[in-house]
Amino acid sequence: MRTHKRAHAAHSYAEGNGLRVAVLRRPARFVICARDAEGEDCRSGGDPFVVMVRGPSAAARIVHDAMDGTYRAAWTATVSGNYWIAVTLHGEHVLGSPFSAQAVIPHADPSRCQAYGPGLHEALADSPASFV
């Protein structure tokens, strides 16, 4: 019978873009990887990892236990600015925590933009030409 390896904060870590940057009102995702006191990967879940976010506004956050030693986490900012993301286990930070992240305003993706209308094809001098 295998016993559950308990995760150890000093050997566990978090990784992913969501620890560096977030786009307002969109989940900034990252993964927490549990390791035991010997630094070995944990292969089961059940460890009480906590994500705390401090910044210019409150931020929603979730941690989902994948039951395989990894935890999918996300936080959502509603105000742009600098945030600190702390990932802890039993009150102790995982490797690299707290993390510094920047929440930014979403920008248009030029590859997904379109312009259309008659003003793109013809116009008269000193007259408005319309397009969308």
Side-chain angles (χ1 to χ4, degrees), residues 5-8 11-12 34-43:
K5 288 184 179 183
R6 287 186 52 118
H8 191 264
H11 291 101
S12 298
R35 287 191 170 164
D36 66 17
E38 286 78 40
E40 298 290 324
D41 291 340
C42 293
R43 301 284 179 207

Side-chain angles (χ1 to χ4, degrees), residues 4-15 30-37 40-52 61-74 86-95 97 99:
H4 170 71
K5 288 184 179 183
R6 287 186 52 118
H8 191 264
H11 291 101
S12 298
Y13 63 95
E15 62 185 6
F30 61 96
V31 176
I32 302 166
C33 300
R35 287 191 170 164
D36 66 17
E40 298 290 324
D41 291 340
C42 293
R43 301 284 179 207
S44 61
D47 295 299
F49 285 97
V50 174
V51 173
M52 295 173 286
R61 60 210 184 283
I62 60 166
V63 177
H64 174 76
D65 187 346
M67 301 306 290
D68 64 357
T70 64
Y71 300 76
R72 292 187 304 272
V87 180
T88 61
L89 177 64
H90 304 297
E92 293 184 34
H93 288 275
V94 302
L95 288 171
S97 177
F99 303 90

Side-chain angles (χ1 to χ4, degrees), residues 17-30 53 57-62 73-81 83 85 101-110 112-113:
N17 287 338
L19 294 171
R20 293 180 292 282
V21 67
V23 175
L24 294 186
R25 294 176 201 81
R26 294 182 191 161
R29 301 178 194 286
F30 61 96
V53 179
S57 74
R61 60 210 184 283
I62 60 166
W75 63 284
T76 305
T78 57
V79 173
S80 61
Y83 287 80
I85 298 100
Q102 180 74 29
V104 297
I105 298 170
H107 298 313
D109 178 356
R112 304 184 97 191
C113 296

